[in-house]
Amino acid sequence: MTIPTKPIFFVLLISFSVIKNYAQTISLKDAYKNSFMIGTALNASQIEERDSNAAKIITHEFNAITPENSMKCEVIHPSWNTYHFEQADKLIAYGNKNKIPIMGHTLVWHSQLSGFVKNIQSADSLSLFLDQHISTIAARYDGKIFSWDVVNEALNEDGSMRNSIFLQKLGPNYVVDAFRIAQKAAPKTELYYNDYNIEQPQKRAGAINLIKKIQAAGVRIDGVGIQGHWQLGHVPFKDIEESIEAFSKLGIKVMFTELDLTVLPNPWDVTTADVNMKAENNAYFNPYPTGLPDSVEQMFTKDYVQLFALFQKHKKDVFRVTFWGVHDKQSWLNNWPIFGRTNYPLLFDRNYQPKEAYYKLISITK
Ligand code: 9MR
């Protein structure tokens, strides 16, 4: 046996101590069990347990799972009267086997719509689609999943209704109609409105109006999901706190449903999660292709700690916090708004190792 040279010896020592610490650490879900659920989004390979490293993290850390894409229209309902339930059914089986509640995502969204929906011309046909799509899918999974994001991203930044195909053809009441259809098809499933930037005052006011409108129509809405795609150094803590207070006053659950913190420069002045906005890659916009500098990692830890301290402060009203992915390598933020960057937005790194922020989020609960 050769004696390891010093650097290798230290690398081994450090990695053993990280593994040892991780094995000894209680999980996120246990650390926060008296506060709120801790969830993650799963991609298709994770649902099918083809990602064995992620599989261990998922069952150890999380007590809520959201399909990142498997229940979206283009996957589950590719053409009129044709449904592909395979991926969603696998998710149900995975949730049952591991006893993890499933948060359905999403029934009505202008993005990732199937081609046939985009080509619908008449209001009558679109209304038929809305009814059939929601009734069929929501009824199939009623009692099998915990909740649905019934409508996703129906608002503009100024709080007005987004000019989607649904608004254009059906008018602003389509949101109330969607919840009405869902409540009939899925009496045992919680029903939520989900959107990004609704912590920001103008858009928040729009969301509050929308929720009040659903309630005034006598239709059930159980919660609101603030997505939480935020940027390092610019987390809007004050807006987040005011939103928890304002939304919970409506008598509904408040959740953070797609949490991640991008550490990369933003090509625009605005914070957005609009998947239609894209920019070109270059070295300026991809500054950390081989690793995150310590100084940035420290800011990252600090922002996450401040955020979870805020969630903890409002644990009476915060029902769930879900990360948008298990580890950095799978994050949508590597490819949006610029394709092919190296981003570091989650608590587990590209090698499935927990970051310092992970340990700190657990230690602040003690
Ligand atoms: O994470 C999802 C990514 O894999 C898809 O390519 C993308 C396409 O629209 O959607 C991502 O998830 C989105 C979510 O469904 C709704 N809010 C914004 C999320 C990030 O784009």
Side-chain angles (χ1 to χ4, degrees), residues 277-315:
M277 292 177 74
K278 295 195 173 79
E280 291 301 312
N281 198 353
N282 62 41
Y284 174 78
F285 285 122
N286 191 25
Y288 318 121
T290 54
L292 201 59
D294 280 350
S295 57
V296 185
E297 181 89 40
Q298 279 175 21
M299 277 173 67
F300 177 87
T301 304
K302 187 170 154 284
D303 272 2
Y304 262 118
V305 166
Q306 194 175 340
L307 192 55
F308 272 69
L310 183 60
F311 294 157
Q312 282 274 69
K313 179 178 168 199
H314 292 276
K315 64 181 180 191

Side-chain angles (χ1 to χ4, degrees), residues 81-341:
N81 301 324
T82 304
Y83 293 88
H84 287 177
F85 292 123
E86 294 79 5
Q87 278 195 41
D89 287 355
K90 281 182 188 164
L91 174 72
I92 306 295
Y94 179 92
N96 283 340
K97 184 174 108 181
N98 296 295
K99 300 190 176 52
I100 313 180
I102 296 163
M103 311 294 155
H105 174 82
T106 170
L107 290 168
V108 182
W109 188 26
H110 64 276
S111 198
Q112 289 182 279
L113 276 175
S114 300
F116 84 97
V117 186
K118 292 187 221 159
N119 291 331
I120 290 176
Q121 297 300 321
S122 73
D124 182 64
S125 297
L126 192 61
S127 163
L128 185 68
F129 160 78
L130 199 73
D131 189 50
Q132 288 184 348
H133 180 78
I134 299 175
S135 315
T136 308
I137 300 166
R140 181 182 180 93
Y141 296 114
D142 193 34
K144 297 184 174 156
I145 66 173
F146 186 88
S147 65
W148 269 115
D149 293 338
V150 178
V151 176
N152 192 42
E153 303 176 6
L155 294 167
N156 292 317
E157 298 308 290
D158 67 359
S160 60
M161 298 283 294
R162 182 191 285 271
N163 192 21
S164 67
I165 183 171
F166 301 108
L167 182 75
Q168 286 166 16
K169 297 216 174 347
L170 305 176
N173 282 335
Y174 84 85
V175 175
V176 178
D177 291 340
F179 275 83
R180 190 181 284 114
I181 301 165
Q183 115 179 326
K184 188 157 172 252
K188 294 187 252 153
T189 311
E190 297 207 347
L191 308 179
Y192 304 149
Y193 176 70
N194 193 57
D195 209 333
Y196 58 85
N197 287 354
I198 50 170
E199 73 283 356
Q200 294 178 16
Q202 275 194 312
K203 199 166 181 180
R204 182 202 312 155
I208 290 173
N209 283 341
L210 204 59
I211 293 162
K212 284 186 171 165
K213 192 169 158 183
I214 297 166
Q215 293 174 324
V219 174
R220 178 165 63 91
I221 173 165
D222 303 294
V224 62
I226 300 169
Q227 291 184 3
H229 296 295
W230 291 312
Q231 192 176 8
L232 186 69
H234 299 275
V235 180
F237 296 108
K238 183 167 169 283
D239 293 337
I240 295 169
E241 179 155 39
E242 287 171 5
S243 299
I244 297 172
E245 288 163 350
F247 284 128
S248 61
K249 279 203 189 110
L250 301 172
I252 57 172
K253 288 176 175 153
V254 182
M255 284 150 290
F256 294 86
T257 51
E258 303 186 13
L259 180 59
D260 47 27
L261 286 190
T262 180
V263 305
L264 300 182
N266 182 352
W268 306 293
D269 289 340
V270 291
T271 303
T272 179
D274 185 337
V275 286
N276 296 313
M277 292 177 74
K278 295 195 173 79
E280 291 301 312
N281 198 353
N282 62 41
Y284 174 78
F285 285 122
N286 191 25
Y288 318 121
T290 54
L292 201 59
D294 280 350
S295 57
V296 185
E297 181 89 40
Q298 279 175 21
M299 277 173 67
F300 177 87
T301 304
K302 187 170 154 284
D303 272 2
Y304 262 118
V305 166
Q306 194 175 340
L307 192 55
F308 272 69
L310 183 60
F311 294 157
Q312 282 274 69
K313 179 178 168 199
H314 292 276
K315 64 181 180 191
K316 182 172 70 61
D317 296 314
V318 175
F319 182 70
R320 166 169 58 98
V321 178
T322 286
F323 292 89
W324 204 239
V326 179
H327 56 89
D328 286 344
K329 200 170 168 187
Q330 83 175 93
S331 171
W332 73 295
L333 290 168
N334 294 307
N335 294 312
W336 184 91
I338 297 175
F339 188 81
R341 294 197 294 179

Side-chain angles (χ1 to χ4, degrees), residues 41-48 51 66-70 327 330:
L42 303 189
N43 62 24
S45 89
Q46 290 162 344
I47 292 169
E48 291 173 3
D51 184 348
T66 305
E68 191 176 356
N69 291 299
S70 302
H327 56 89
Q330 83 175 93

